[in-house]
Amino acid sequence: MPDAVAEEIVNYALEELMICKVLAELYRVELRYPPPSYAYNVRVCETKKVLERLGWWSEGRKGHIRKTLEVRLQSAAYCLIALFTGMRAHEVLRIKYGLRNNWSEEYVEIDGGVKKMCFVLSETTKLEARPASYKWQAVPVVKLALMALEIGFKRYYDTGNPWLFPSRKDGVFGGKQALTKNALGHNIKTFCKIHDIRSKGIVWNLATHQFRKKFARTMVRQGLGIKALQDQLKHYDIEMTKIYGDPNLYVELQAEKFELSAELLEEFVGSQIPVIGGGAEELNAMRREFLGLTKKDRTLFLQSLPSKALVEQTDDGLCFYRANKALCGGDKSNCRPGDCNNAWMPAAGKKRTLLWRKTENDRMMGFFKSQPLKVHFLKSRNEEIQKLLGQLEKLGACE
């Protein structure tokens, strides 16, 4: 799956999550005008009013509008969950209704610090005699997809269906089956057609396995180790993880990383964007040298930079990583951007983010006041933040 296709899928899927509000309104109409107390035409009239008010009424598909909306919501939610967790299709479809059954947020101690981790809860039947429960690490946007499904499909749960992706086989309301993989596969292909998501002029032929491969490739790009990737993908054999998606995955990713590094270096060195971080002075010196070169020499200068060091993306900026100048020792969790000569951070818009982090660290210090090691780590983080705030003030880039 090309990056451009993945980006379009995510953008459209986030928009489609709003369909849950339409389905919730339709369910409220059903509850307000239940049969046989109210005539069929009364419910139809009220349903039409809801769809017109929310911009979804269409004479051409008025008999299938609910089914259409349910399919689109399920497709959108599946795309986000699968793309940001790497879960197999059957594992996504076995997610149960209710956040207490499918979502977990935990504080995990990592490398002397404490981080909030999010997990999707489900089951797998891969190489298992019986369904086995597992946790897949996720990002907060996945929670939005889970909540949208809960809002949009409450009518199914209220009649006894325990699954977050309920089946509506033959339009029967009240069944207790989960959506099938075949139905899901058909629905996500339709998703690409509806939104005209193309690659090289052809509508992308989307399939469920593509998300897992894209997730693996994206995580390796971001520097995730092979053991951590194996754990997330729930592979029993690490050799499967190594070749997942493409036998030459790591070779290709290194080539991509070199190309991306060159693009980012050109963007930073060739502009006058104010930067902070321990490497700001060195970057400004490189900019002055760059401005004094001819057009041809500028090209050669930029081409030479990736051979000196490749750029790594960090939470707030870039790391022009050189081992002899790295204060972190190669461990990103120990990043000290205020001091490290490898760190470049755009100054614009950073003050509010840094102040918020400082406030959160203060709150966590109160929470862990009986654990001196954690308090010491949080204090060191705040000291680093204070250095960056001081650099912002010198630049006058406080907002």
Side-chain angles (χ1 to χ4, degrees):
M1 182 191 298
D3 288 349
V5 169
E7 184 177 351
E8 281 196 79
I9 288 173
V10 170
N11 289 336
Y12 283 121
L14 288 171
E15 292 177 6
E16 297 278 75
L17 292 185
M18 295 299 101
I19 289 174
C20 70
K21 296 181 179 179
V22 185
L23 292 172
E25 287 277 352
L26 295 179
Y27 184 39
R28 279 193 280 271
V29 169
E30 285 185 359
L31 295 176
R32 195 178 304 129
Y33 303 101
S37 303
Y38 292 88
Y40 173 77
N41 61 341
V42 174
R43 293 195 303 278
V44 170
C45 181
E46 292 300 316
T47 298
K48 181 179 179 181
K49 288 179 183 178
V50 169
L51 294 173
E52 286 179 334
R53 174 164 53 83
L54 297 175
W56 283 94
W57 176 255
S58 171
E59 285 289 345
R61 61 184 182 192
K62 59 183 178 181
H64 307 282
I65 186 64
R66 186 197 293 276
K67 181 179 179 181
T68 299
L69 292 174
E70 289 179 348
V71 165
R72 289 177 66 163
L73 178 57
Q74 284 183 328
S75 300
Y78 175 81
C79 290
L80 293 173
I81 296 169
L83 190 57
F84 289 115
T85 64
M87 295 171 72
R88 301 177 180 93
H90 81 268
E91 293 161 350
V92 176
L93 296 178
R94 291 190 71 87
I95 297 176
K96 291 184 178 178
Y97 190 96
L99 279 179
R100 67 185 182 280
N101 298 319
N102 60 45
W103 185 257
S104 173
E105 295 180 1
E106 305 170 18
Y107 286 99
V108 180
E109 190 171 341
I110 300 176
D111 300 324
V114 178
K115 293 185 178 180
K116 184 179 181 180
M117 298 291 191
C118 303
F119 300 92
V120 174
L121 312 179
S122 186
E123 298 174 332
T124 185
T125 56
K126 188 74 172 181
L127 301 180
E128 299 281 359
R130 296 180 179 178
S133 298
Y134 279 103
K135 296 192 296 186
W136 285 263
Q137 190 174 344
V139 291
V141 71
V142 173
K143 186 178 182 181
L144 296 179
L146 298 176
M147 292 176 67
L149 289 170
E150 296 206 2
I151 294 169
F153 291 95
K154 189 174 186 301
R155 68 195 290 257
Y156 289 86
Y157 181 72
D158 286 350
T159 53
N161 194 311
W163 306 109
L164 199 58
F165 285 82
S167 172
R168 189 186 175 182
K169 190 174 182 180
D170 300 324
V172 177
F173 176 46
K176 297 183 180 180
Q177 302 299 314
L179 188 70
T180 66
K181 285 178 65 176
N182 286 341
L184 174 65
H186 172 76
N187 293 347
I188 61 174
K189 289 181 189 297
T190 304
F191 179 87
C192 277
K193 292 177 182 176
I194 289 173
H195 296 293
D196 197 30
I197 299 173
R198 296 174 177 266
S199 178
K200 298 180 180 179
I202 302 172
V203 173
W204 185 254
N205 187 26
L206 191 59
T208 56
H209 67 273
Q210 293 173 9
F211 292 98
R212 191 166 164 84
K213 293 179 179 179
K214 186 62 179 178
F215 172 84
R217 180 177 289 269
T218 303
M219 289 299 98
V220 174
R221 264 190 209 163
Q222 297 300 317
L224 191 69
I226 192 72
K227 287 292 292 181
L229 184 60
Q230 179 193 17
D231 179 68
Q232 180 72 4
L233 294 177
K234 307 297 182 279
H235 281 153
Y236 284 80
D237 187 351
I238 198 168
E239 294 303 315
M240 174 62 75
T241 310
K242 288 180 180 179
I243 65 172
Y244 200 75
D246 192 333
N248 299 313
L249 175 65
Y250 283 82
V251 175
E252 288 184 14
L253 288 172
Q254 280 301 108
E256 287 181 12
K257 192 172 181 180
F258 193 89
E259 184 177 340
L260 177 63
S261 183
E263 292 175 358
L264 290 171
L265 286 168
E266 181 176 0
E267 181 181 339
F268 266 69
V269 175
S271 72
Q272 295 301 313
I273 301 170
V275 293
I276 57 174
E281 290 187 14
E282 183 181 3
L283 174 60
N284 288 328
M286 291 168 63
R287 285 173 168 175
R288 289 192 291 271
E289 181 181 354
F290 180 77
L291 287 173
L293 298 175
T294 64
K295 185 175 181 180
K296 181 180 179 180
D297 288 339
R298 285 184 180 184
T299 301
L300 294 174
F301 179 79
L302 291 171
Q303 289 174 347
S304 71
L305 292 177
S307 63
K308 297 177 182 178
L310 289 180
V311 166
E312 297 279 354
Q313 194 81 38
T314 64
D315 289 343
D316 298 295
L318 300 179
C319 173
F320 189 51
Y321 185 77
R322 292 155 296 178
N324 61 332
K325 294 189 177 185
L327 299 181
C328 65
D331 184 352
K332 289 183 181 180
S333 65
N334 293 327
C335 181
R336 292 162 55 187
D339 294 319
C340 184
N341 290 327
N342 292 337
W344 303 339
M345 297 168 60
K350 278 289 178 291
K351 184 176 182 180
R352 291 180 183 176
T353 301
L354 293 172
L355 287 174
W356 176 81
R357 287 182 183 165
K358 189 172 184 294
T359 301
E360 282 295 291
N361 289 342
D362 289 338
R363 184 179 66 81
M364 293 298 292
M365 278 191 276
F367 184 78
F368 292 113
K369 60 185 177 182
S370 61
Q371 302 181 48
L373 289 177
K374 292 179 181 177
V375 171
H376 176 74
F377 174 80
L378 291 167
K379 280 184 177 179
S380 69
R381 294 291 89 189
N382 275 356
E383 289 172 4
E384 196 68 23
I385 289 171
Q386 198 58 51
K387 290 175 185 176
L388 293 170
L389 289 170
Q391 293 176 20
L392 279 174
E393 289 188 9
K394 287 182 181 179
L395 283 175
C398 295
E399 294 302 326

mmCIF file with all atom_site columns, all heavy atoms in Angstrom, residues 374-394:
data_model
loop_
_atom_site.group_PDB
_atom_site.id
_atom_site.type_symbol
_atom_site.label_atom_id
_atom_site.label_alt_id
_atom_site.label_comp_id
_atom_site.label_asym_id
_atom_site.label_entity_id
_atom_site.label_seq_id
_atom_site.pdbx_PDB_ins_code
_atom_site.Cartn_x
_atom_site.Cartn_y
_atom_site.Cartn_z
_atom_site.occupancy
_atom_site.B_iso_or_equiv
_atom_site.pdbx_formal_charge
_atom_site.auth_seq_id
_atom_site.auth_comp_id
_atom_site.auth_asym_id
_atom_site.auth_atom_id
_atom_site.pdbx_PDB_model_num
ATOM 1   N N   . LYS A 1 374 ? 11.480 7.684  40.085 1.00 0.00 ? 374 LYS A N   1
ATOM 2   C CA  . LYS A 1 374 ? 10.571 8.246  39.089 1.00 0.00 ? 374 LYS A CA  1
ATOM 3   C C   . LYS A 1 374 ? 10.505 9.764  39.209 1.00 0.00 ? 374 LYS A C   1
ATOM 4   O O   . LYS A 1 374 ? 10.472 10.480 38.204 1.00 0.00 ? 374 LYS A O   1
ATOM 5   C CB  . LYS A 1 374 ? 9.183  7.634  39.242 1.00 0.00 ? 374 LYS A CB  1
ATOM 6   C CG  . LYS A 1 374 ? 9.131  6.160  38.879 1.00 0.00 ? 374 LYS A CG  1
ATOM 7   C CD  . LYS A 1 374 ? 7.742  5.569  39.069 1.00 0.00 ? 374 LYS A CD  1
ATOM 8   C CE  . LYS A 1 374 ? 7.729  4.083  38.710 1.00 0.00 ? 374 LYS A CE  1
ATOM 9   N NZ  . LYS A 1 374 ? 6.410  3.467  38.944 1.00 0.00 ? 374 LYS A NZ  1
ATOM 10  N N   . VAL A 1 375 ? 10.483 10.248 40.445 1.00 0.00 ? 375 VAL A N   1
ATOM 11  C CA  . VAL A 1 375 ? 10.469 11.704 40.656 1.00 0.00 ? 375 VAL A CA  1
ATOM 12  C C   . VAL A 1 375 ? 11.737 12.335 40.093 1.00 0.00 ? 375 VAL A C   1
ATOM 13  O O   . VAL A 1 375 ? 11.693 13.389 39.449 1.00 0.00 ? 375 VAL A O   1
ATOM 14  C CB  . VAL A 1 375 ? 10.322 12.020 42.160 1.00 0.00 ? 375 VAL A CB  1
ATOM 15  C CG1 . VAL A 1 375 ? 10.531 13.514 42.414 1.00 0.00 ? 375 VAL A CG1 1
ATOM 16  C CG2 . VAL A 1 375 ? 8.950  11.597 42.665 1.00 0.00 ? 375 VAL A CG2 1
ATOM 17  N N   . HIS A 1 376 ? 12.884 11.685 40.303 1.00 0.00 ? 376 HIS A N   1
ATOM 18  C CA  . HIS A 1 376 ? 14.152 12.205 39.775 1.00 0.00 ? 376 HIS A CA  1
ATOM 19  C C   . HIS A 1 376 ? 14.125 12.270 38.252 1.00 0.00 ? 376 HIS A C   1
ATOM 20  O O   . HIS A 1 376 ? 14.582 13.257 37.650 1.00 0.00 ? 376 HIS A O   1
ATOM 21  C CB  . HIS A 1 376 ? 15.311 11.307 40.235 1.00 0.00 ? 376 HIS A CB  1
ATOM 22  C CG  . HIS A 1 376 ? 16.629 11.711 39.652 1.00 0.00 ? 376 HIS A CG  1
ATOM 23  N ND1 . HIS A 1 376 ? 17.336 12.824 40.073 1.00 0.00 ? 376 HIS A ND1 1
ATOM 24  C CD2 . HIS A 1 376 ? 17.375 11.152 38.648 1.00 0.00 ? 376 HIS A CD2 1
ATOM 25  C CE1 . HIS A 1 376 ? 18.448 12.934 39.365 1.00 0.00 ? 376 HIS A CE1 1
ATOM 26  N NE2 . HIS A 1 376 ? 18.495 11.931 38.497 1.00 0.00 ? 376 HIS A NE2 1
ATOM 27  N N   . PHE A 1 377 ? 13.567 11.216 37.618 1.00 0.00 ? 377 PHE A N   1
ATOM 28  C CA  . PHE A 1 377 ? 13.483 11.206 36.158 1.00 0.00 ? 377 PHE A CA  1
ATOM 29  C C   . PHE A 1 377 ? 12.607 12.349 35.654 1.00 0.00 ? 377 PHE A C   1
ATOM 30  O O   . PHE A 1 377 ? 12.968 13.055 34.707 1.00 0.00 ? 377 PHE A O   1
ATOM 31  C CB  . PHE A 1 377 ? 12.911 9.867  35.678 1.00 0.00 ? 377 PHE A CB  1
ATOM 32  C CG  . PHE A 1 377 ? 12.642 9.806  34.204 1.00 0.00 ? 377 PHE A CG  1
ATOM 33  C CD1 . PHE A 1 377 ? 13.669 9.575  33.307 1.00 0.00 ? 377 PHE A CD1 1
ATOM 34  C CD2 . PHE A 1 377 ? 11.361 10.004 33.703 1.00 0.00 ? 377 PHE A CD2 1
ATOM 35  C CE1 . PHE A 1 377 ? 13.427 9.534  31.939 1.00 0.00 ? 377 PHE A CE1 1
ATOM 36  C CE2 . PHE A 1 377 ? 11.111 9.965  32.346 1.00 0.00 ? 377 PHE A CE2 1
ATOM 37  C CZ  . PHE A 1 377 ? 12.150 9.725  31.463 1.00 0.00 ? 377 PHE A CZ  1
ATOM 38  N N   . LEU A 1 378 ? 11.448 12.558 36.282 1.00 0.00 ? 378 LEU A N   1
ATOM 39  C CA  . LEU A 1 378 ? 10.537 13.619 35.861 1.00 0.00 ? 378 LEU A CA  1
ATOM 40  C C   . LEU A 1 378 ? 11.157 14.999 36.074 1.00 0.00 ? 378 LEU A C   1
ATOM 41  O O   . LEU A 1 378 ? 10.960 15.905 35.257 1.00 0.00 ? 378 LEU A O   1
ATOM 42  C CB  . LEU A 1 378 ? 9.214  13.501 36.636 1.00 0.00 ? 378 LEU A CB  1
ATOM 43  C CG  . LEU A 1 378 ? 8.362  12.270 36.280 1.00 0.00 ? 378 LEU A CG  1
ATOM 44  C CD1 . LEU A 1 378 ? 7.255  12.064 37.298 1.00 0.00 ? 378 LEU A CD1 1
ATOM 45  C CD2 . LEU A 1 378 ? 7.770  12.409 34.885 1.00 0.00 ? 378 LEU A CD2 1
ATOM 46  N N   . LYS A 1 379 ? 11.913 15.149 37.147 1.00 0.00 ? 379 LYS A N   1
ATOM 47  C CA  . LYS A 1 379 ? 12.604 16.425 37.370 1.00 0.00 ? 379 LYS A CA  1
ATOM 48  C C   . LYS A 1 379 ? 13.618 16.691 36.261 1.00 0.00 ? 379 LYS A C   1
ATOM 49  O O   . LYS A 1 379 ? 13.758 17.823 35.785 1.00 0.00 ? 379 LYS A O   1
ATOM 50  C CB  . LYS A 1 379 ? 13.304 16.407 38.729 1.00 0.00 ? 379 LYS A CB  1
ATOM 51  C CG  . LYS A 1 379 ? 12.387 16.671 39.910 1.00 0.00 ? 379 LYS A CG  1
ATOM 52  C CD  . LYS A 1 379 ? 13.183 16.733 41.210 1.00 0.00 ? 379 LYS A CD  1
ATOM 53  C CE  . LYS A 1 379 ? 12.267 17.067 42.388 1.00 0.00 ? 379 LYS A CE  1
ATOM 54  N NZ  . LYS A 1 379 ? 13.026 17.099 43.669 1.00 0.00 ? 379 LYS A NZ  1
ATOM 55  N N   . SER A 1 380 ? 14.338 15.647 35.843 1.00 0.00 ? 380 SER A N   1
ATOM 56  C CA  . SER A 1 380 ? 15.323 15.818 34.764 1.00 0.00 ? 380 SER A CA  1
ATOM 57  C C   . SER A 1 380 ? 14.637 16.206 33.459 1.00 0.00 ? 380 SER A C   1
ATOM 58  O O   . SER A 1 380 ? 15.157 16.995 32.677 1.00 0.00 ? 380 SER A O   1
ATOM 59  C CB  . SER A 1 380 ? 16.134 14.537 34.576 1.00 0.00 ? 380 SER A CB  1
ATOM 60  O OG  . SER A 1 380 ? 15.337 13.492 34.044 1.00 0.00 ? 380 SER A OG  1
ATOM 61  N N   . ARG A 1 381 ? 13.422 15.669 33.232 1.00 0.00 ? 381 ARG A N   1
ATOM 62  C CA  . ARG A 1 381 ? 12.658 16.052 32.046 1.00 0.00 ? 381 ARG A CA  1
ATOM 63  C C   . ARG A 1 381 ? 12.269 17.529 32.101 1.00 0.00 ? 381 ARG A C   1
ATOM 64  O O   . ARG A 1 381 ? 12.340 18.248 31.100 1.00 0.00 ? 381 ARG A O   1
ATOM 65  C CB  . ARG A 1 381 ? 11.387 15.211 31.942 1.00 0.00 ? 381 ARG A CB  1
ATOM 66  C CG  . ARG A 1 381 ? 11.568 13.725 31.700 1.00 0.00 ? 381 ARG A CG  1
ATOM 67  C CD  . ARG A 1 381 ? 12.112 13.414 30.322 1.00 0.00 ? 381 ARG A CD  1
ATOM 68  N NE  . ARG A 1 381 ? 13.565 13.395 30.305 1.00 0.00 ? 381 ARG A NE  1
ATOM 69  C CZ  . ARG A 1 381 ? 14.314 13.313 29.215 1.00 0.00 ? 381 ARG A CZ  1
ATOM 70  N NH1 . ARG A 1 381 ? 13.749 13.294 28.039 1.00 0.00 ? 381 ARG A NH1 1
ATOM 71  N NH2 . ARG A 1 381 ? 15.622 13.294 29.286 1.00 0.00 ? 381 ARG A NH2 1
ATOM 72  N N   . ASN A 1 382 ? 11.863 17.973 33.273 1.00 0.00 ? 382 ASN A N   1
ATOM 73  C CA  . ASN A 1 382 ? 11.476 19.382 33.426 1.00 0.00 ? 382 ASN A CA  1
ATOM 74  C C   . ASN A 1 382 ? 12.666 20.320 33.264 1.00 0.00 ? 382 ASN A C   1
ATOM 75  O O   . ASN A 1 382 ? 12.530 21.428 32.743 1.00 0.00 ? 382 ASN A O   1
ATOM 76  C CB  . ASN A 1 382 ? 10.813 19.607 34.787 1.00 0.00 ? 382 ASN A CB  1
ATOM 77  C CG  . ASN A 1 382 ? 9.328  19.297 34.757 1.00 0.00 ? 382 ASN A CG  1
ATOM 78  O OD1 . ASN A 1 382 ? 8.785  18.992 33.700 1.00 0.00 ? 382 ASN A OD1 1
ATOM 79  N ND2 . ASN A 1 382 ? 8.668  19.360 35.897 1.00 0.00 ? 382 ASN A ND2 1
ATOM 80  N N   . GLU A 1 383 ? 13.828 19.889 33.720 1.00 0.00 ? 383 GLU A N   1
ATOM 81  C CA  . GLU A 1 383 ? 15.037 20.705 33.523 1.00 0.00 ? 383 GLU A CA  1
ATOM 82  C C   . GLU A 1 383 ? 15.338 20.873 32.034 1.00 0.00 ? 383 GLU A C   1
ATOM 83  O O   . GLU A 1 383 ? 15.725 21.953 31.577 1.00 0.00 ? 383 GLU A O   1
ATOM 84  C CB  . GLU A 1 383 ? 16.221 20.046 34.230 1.00 0.00 ? 383 GLU A CB  1
ATOM 85  C CG  . GLU A 1 383 ? 16.136 20.132 35.756 1.00 0.00 ? 383 GLU A CG  1
ATOM 86  C CD  . GLU A 1 383 ? 17.217 19.301 36.430 1.00 0.00 ? 383 GLU A CD  1
ATOM 87  O OE1 . GLU A 1 383 ? 18.066 18.729 35.708 1.00 0.00 ? 383 GLU A OE1 1
ATOM 88  O OE2 . GLU A 1 383 ? 17.207 19.214 37.674 1.00 0.00 ? 383 GLU A OE2 1
ATOM 89  N N   . GLU A 1 384 ? 15.153 19.802 31.287 1.00 0.00 ? 384 GLU A N   1
ATOM 90  C CA  . GLU A 1 384 ? 15.369 19.855 29.834 1.00 0.00 ? 384 GLU A CA  1
ATOM 91  C C   . GLU A 1 384 ? 14.363 20.793 29.178 1.00 0.00 ? 384 GLU A C   1
ATOM 92  O O   . GLU A 1 384 ? 14.700 21.588 28.299 1.00 0.00 ? 384 GLU A O   1
ATOM 93  C CB  . GLU A 1 384 ? 15.238 18.442 29.257 1.00 0.00 ? 384 GLU A CB  1
ATOM 94  C CG  . GLU A 1 384 ? 15.795 18.277 27.861 1.00 0.00 ? 384 GLU A CG  1
ATOM 95  C CD  . GLU A 1 384 ? 17.298 18.407 27.819 1.00 0.00 ? 384 GLU A CD  1
ATOM 96  O OE1 . GLU A 1 384 ? 17.954 18.202 28.847 1.00 0.00 ? 384 GLU A OE1 1
ATOM 97  O OE2 . GLU A 1 384 ? 17.813 18.743 26.732 1.00 0.00 ? 384 GLU A OE2 1
ATOM 98  N N   . ILE A 1 385 ? 13.093 20.700 29.610 1.00 0.00 ? 385 ILE A N   1
ATOM 99  C CA  . ILE A 1 385 ? 12.043 21.574 29.076 1.00 0.00 ? 385 ILE A CA  1
ATOM 100 C C   . ILE A 1 385 ? 12.367 23.032 29.372 1.00 0.00 ? 385 ILE A C   1
ATOM 101 O O   . ILE A 1 385 ? 12.180 23.913 28.534 1.00 0.00 ? 385 ILE A O   1
ATOM 102 C CB  . ILE A 1 385 ? 10.675 21.179 29.667 1.00 0.00 ? 385 ILE A CB  1
ATOM 103 C CG1 . ILE A 1 385 ? 10.216 19.836 29.077 1.00 0.00 ? 385 ILE A CG1 1
ATOM 104 C CG2 . ILE A 1 385 ? 9.619  22.254 29.374 1.00 0.00 ? 385 ILE A CG2 1
ATOM 105 C CD1 . ILE A 1 385 ? 8.989  19.261 29.753 1.00 0.00 ? 385 ILE A CD1 1
ATOM 106 N N   . GLN A 1 386 ? 12.871 23.310 30.588 1.00 0.00 ? 386 GLN A N   1
ATOM 107 C CA  . GLN A 1 386 ? 13.193 24.685 30.971 1.00 0.00 ? 386 GLN A CA  1
ATOM 108 C C   . GLN A 1 386 ? 14.290 25.262 30.083 1.00 0.00 ? 386 GLN A C   1
ATOM 109 O O   . GLN A 1 386 ? 14.263 26.454 29.722 1.00 0.00 ? 386 GLN A O   1
ATOM 110 C CB  . GLN A 1 386 ? 13.617 24.733 32.442 1.00 0.00 ? 386 GLN A CB  1
ATOM 111 C CG  . GLN A 1 386 ? 13.555 26.107 33.070 1.00 0.00 ? 386 GLN A CG  1
ATOM 112 C CD  . GLN A 1 386 ? 12.164 26.719 32.997 1.00 0.00 ? 386 GLN A CD  1
ATOM 113 O OE1 . GLN A 1 386 ? 11.180 26.081 33.381 1.00 0.00 ? 386 GLN A OE1 1
ATOM 114 N NE2 . GLN A 1 386 ? 12.073 27.924 32.472 1.00 0.00 ? 386 GLN A NE2 1
ATOM 115 N N   . LYS A 1 387 ? 15.257 24.428 29.701 1.00 0.00 ? 387 LYS A N   1
ATOM 116 C CA  . LYS A 1 387 ? 16.320 24.885 28.796 1.00 0.00 ? 387 LYS A CA  1
ATOM 117 C C   . LYS A 1 387 ? 15.733 25.267 27.434 1.00 0.00 ? 387 LYS A C   1
ATOM 118 O O   . LYS A 1 387 ? 16.110 26.292 26.845 1.00 0.00 ? 387 LYS A O   1
ATOM 119 C CB  . LYS A 1 387 ? 17.367 23.792 28.614 1.00 0.00 ? 387 LYS A CB  1
ATOM 120 C CG  . LYS A 1 387 ? 18.208 23.539 29.855 1.00 0.00 ? 387 LYS A CG  1
ATOM 121 C CD  . LYS A 1 387 ? 19.146 22.362 29.628 1.00 0.00 ? 387 LYS A CD  1
ATOM 122 C CE  . LYS A 1 387 ? 19.903 22.027 30.913 1.00 0.00 ? 387 LYS A CE  1
ATOM 123 N NZ  . LYS A 1 387 ? 20.751 20.826 30.740 1.00 0.00 ? 387 LYS A NZ  1
ATOM 124 N N   . LEU A 1 388 ? 14.813 24.449 26.933 1.00 0.00 ? 388 LEU A N   1
ATOM 125 C CA  . LEU A 1 388 ? 14.197 24.744 25.638 1.00 0.00 ? 388 LEU A CA  1
ATOM 126 C C   . LEU A 1 388 ? 13.348 26.006 25.705 1.00 0.00 ? 388 LEU A C   1
ATOM 127 O O   . LEU A 1 388 ? 13.336 26.810 24.771 1.00 0.00 ? 388 LEU A O   1
ATOM 128 C CB  . LEU A 1 388 ? 13.336 23.555 25.195 1.00 0.00 ? 388 LEU A CB  1
ATOM 129 C CG  . LEU A 1 388 ? 14.107 22.265 24.866 1.00 0.00 ? 388 LEU A CG  1
ATOM 130 C CD1 . LEU A 1 388 ? 13.145 21.100 24.671 1.00 0.00 ? 388 LEU A CD1 1
ATOM 131 C CD2 . LEU A 1 388 ? 14.969 22.449 23.628 1.00 0.00 ? 388 LEU A CD2 1
ATOM 132 N N   . LEU A 1 389 ? 12.649 26.203 26.830 1.00 0.00 ? 389 LEU A N   1
ATOM 133 C CA  . LEU A 1 389 ? 11.865 27.437 26.999 1.00 0.00 ? 389 LEU A CA  1
ATOM 134 C C   . LEU A 1 389 ? 12.774 28.657 27.021 1.00 0.00 ? 389 LEU A C   1
ATOM 135 O O   . LEU A 1 389 ? 12.437 29.711 26.468 1.00 0.00 ? 389 LEU A O   1
ATOM 136 C CB  . LEU A 1 389 ? 11.039 27.356 28.282 1.00 0.00 ? 389 LEU A CB  1
ATOM 137 C CG  . LEU A 1 389 ? 9.851  26.390 28.263 1.00 0.00 ? 389 LEU A CG  1
ATOM 138 C CD1 . LEU A 1 389 ? 9.280  26.218 29.671 1.00 0.00 ? 389 LEU A CD1 1
ATOM 139 C CD2 . LEU A 1 389 ? 8.760  26.884 27.317 1.00 0.00 ? 389 LEU A CD2 1
ATOM 140 N N   . GLY A 1 390 ? 13.942 28.503 27.645 1.00 0.00 ? 390 GLY A N   1
ATOM 141 C CA  . GLY A 1 390 ? 14.894 29.620 27.652 1.00 0.00 ? 390 GLY A CA  1
ATOM 142 C C   . GLY A 1 390 ? 15.400 29.932 26.250 1.00 0.00 ? 390 GLY A C   1
ATOM 143 O O   . GLY A 1 390 ? 15.560 31.109 25.891 1.00 0.00 ? 390 GLY A O   1
ATOM 144 N N   . GLN A 1 391 ? 15.620 28.905 25.445 1.00 0.00 ? 391 GLN A N   1
ATOM 145 C CA  . GLN A 1 391 ? 16.050 29.138 24.062 1.00 0.00 ? 391 GLN A CA  1
ATOM 146 C C   . GLN A 1 391 ? 14.951 29.820 23.256 1.00 0.00 ? 391 GLN A C   1
ATOM 147 O O   . GLN A 1 391 ? 15.235 30.668 22.402 1.00 0.00 ? 391 GLN A O   1
ATOM 148 C CB  . GLN A 1 391 ? 16.436 27.795 23.430 1.00 0.00 ? 391 GLN A CB  1
ATOM 149 C CG  . GLN A 1 391 ? 17.670 27.148 24.042 1.00 0.00 ? 391 GLN A CG  1
ATOM 150 C CD  . GLN A 1 391 ? 17.949 25.773 23.457 1.00 0.00 ? 391 GLN A CD  1
ATOM 151 O OE1 . GLN A 1 391 ? 17.481 25.439 22.380 1.00 0.00 ? 391 GLN A OE1 1
ATOM 152 N NE2 . GLN A 1 391 ? 18.721 24.978 24.185 1.00 0.00 ? 391 GLN A NE2 1
ATOM 153 N N   . LEU A 1 392 ? 13.700 29.450 23.524 1.00 0.00 ? 392 LEU A N   1
ATOM 154 C CA  . LEU A 1 392 ? 12.575 30.108 22.835 1.00 0.00 ? 392 LEU A CA  1
ATOM 155 C C   . LEU A 1 392 ? 12.517 31.594 23.160 1.00 0.00 ? 392 LEU A C   1
ATOM 156 O O   . LEU A 1 392 ? 12.290 32.429 22.287 1.00 0.00 ? 392 LEU A O   1
ATOM 157 C CB  . LEU A 1 392 ? 11.257 29.440 23.248 1.00 0.00 ? 392 LEU A CB  1
ATOM 158 C CG  . LEU A 1 392 ? 10.871 28.138 22.553 1.00 0.00 ? 392 LEU A CG  1
ATOM 159 C CD1 . LEU A 1 392 ? 9.624  27.552 23.181 1.00 0.00 ? 392 LEU A CD1 1
ATOM 160 C CD2 . LEU A 1 392 ? 10.644 28.352 21.065 1.00 0.00 ? 392 LEU A CD2 1
ATOM 161 N N   . GLU A 1 393 ? 12.729 31.931 24.415 1.00 0.00 ? 393 GLU A N   1
ATOM 162 C CA  . GLU A 1 393 ? 12.661 33.332 24.823 1.00 0.00 ? 393 GLU A CA  1
ATOM 163 C C   . GLU A 1 393 ? 13.761 34.166 24.149 1.00 0.00 ? 393 GLU A C   1
ATOM 164 O O   . GLU A 1 393 ? 13.556 35.307 23.782 1.00 0.00 ? 393 GLU A O   1
ATOM 165 C CB  . GLU A 1 393 ? 12.742 33.437 26.334 1.00 0.00 ? 393 GLU A CB  1
ATOM 166 C CG  . GLU A 1 393 ? 11.478 32.933 27.020 1.00 0.00 ? 393 GLU A CG  1
ATOM 167 C CD  . GLU A 1 393 ? 11.481 33.208 28.516 1.00 0.00 ? 393 GLU A CD  1
ATOM 168 O OE1 . GLU A 1 393 ? 12.393 33.933 28.985 1.00 0.00 ? 393 GLU A OE1 1
ATOM 169 O OE2 . GLU A 1 393 ? 10.589 32.703 29.197 1.00 0.00 ? 393 GLU A OE2 1
ATOM 170 N N   . LYS A 1 394 ? 14.938 33.557 24.008 1.00 0.00 ? 394 LYS A N   1
ATOM 171 C CA  . LYS A 1 394 ? 16.018 34.265 23.319 1.00 0.00 ? 394 LYS A CA  1
ATOM 172 C C   . LYS A 1 394 ? 15.665 34.563 21.867 1.00 0.00 ? 394 LYS A C   1
ATOM 173 O O   . LYS A 1 394 ? 16.032 35.594 21.316 1.00 0.00 ? 394 LYS A O   1
ATOM 174 C CB  . LYS A 1 394 ? 17.304 33.426 23.376 1.00 0.00 ? 394 LYS A CB  1
ATOM 175 C CG  . LYS A 1 394 ? 17.950 33.408 24.747 1.00 0.00 ? 394 LYS A CG  1
ATOM 176 C CD  . LYS A 1 394 ? 19.237 32.599 24.720 1.00 0.00 ? 394 LYS A CD  1
ATOM 177 C CE  . LYS A 1 394 ? 19.890 32.552 26.096 1.00 0.00 ? 394 LYS A CE  1
ATOM 178 N NZ  . LYS A 1 394 ? 21.122 31.755 26.097 1.00 0.00 ? 394 LYS A NZ  1
#
